[in-house]
Amino acid sequence: FPELYALIEKHHLVSQAVILTSMKNSLEYVRANFPALQCQYLCYELTEERIEWCKQWNLHPSVRRGGLTPEAIAQCHAAGLKVAVWCVNTEADYLLYKQMGCDIMTCDYLITDNLPE
């Protein structure tokens, strides 16, 4: 990882790069050794235990569609964490997660030309 960080730093991308993984040990290592990098914790469901762990390590959760509640999103936002959701592939899902307050959405195939910002 130090070599990857050196490459990110060399290209002046430290403020833009995001480390995204489901491996908790890796995220803890990155957070402890490279605190300037943004990190996202990839998971299928955002449980209370996962929220607390994300808060402890200042990690932004990235959760599969269906694994979020408005309450979980509010808890993360109260802690200053951004919430991402992935597998948002329909207009209905887009509108639902937009209304719930998700900060980032990942889509496999969604044409966004006619969707509201």
Side-chain angles (χ1 to χ4, degrees):
F1 198 89
E3 292 84 9
L4 176 59
Y5 182 78
L7 186 63
I8 292 168
E9 197 173 39
K10 176 184 173 183
H11 292 282
H12 309 286
L13 296 171
V14 172
S15 65
Q16 297 174 10
V18 177
I19 305 303
L20 170 66
T21 184
S22 62
M23 297 182 287
K24 287 184 169 186
N25 289 343
S26 295
L27 287 168
E28 290 174 3
Y29 172 83
V30 171
R31 180 55 65 230
N33 293 283
F34 305 95
L37 289 175
Q38 295 180 67
C39 294
Q40 288 186 356
Y41 171 53
L42 185 67
C43 61
Y44 283 94
E45 182 180 14
L46 193 55
T47 63
E48 188 67 36
E49 178 184 332
R50 288 179 176 146
I51 293 170
E52 291 305 315
W53 181 77
C54 286
K55 288 176 6 182
Q56 175 187 350
W57 288 95
N58 191 32
L59 304 166
H60 306 287
S62 182
V63 186
R64 187 179 192 333
R65 176 186 56 79
L68 283 168
T69 64
E71 295 79 18
I73 294 169
Q75 279 185 274
C76 290
H77 285 166
L81 302 176
K82 295 178 184 174
V83 178
V85 59
W86 45 281
C87 288
V88 176
N89 293 320
T90 67
E91 183 176 342
D93 280 345
Y94 171 84
L95 294 172
L96 171 67
Y97 290 107
K98 181 181 184 312
Q99 180 184 28
M100 287 173 64
C102 287
D103 303 288
I104 303 162
M105 293 185 209
T106 303
C107 310
D108 297 311
Y109 52 84
L110 181 63
I111 299 171
T112 60
D113 294 346
N114 296 319
L115 294 176
E117 287 293 321

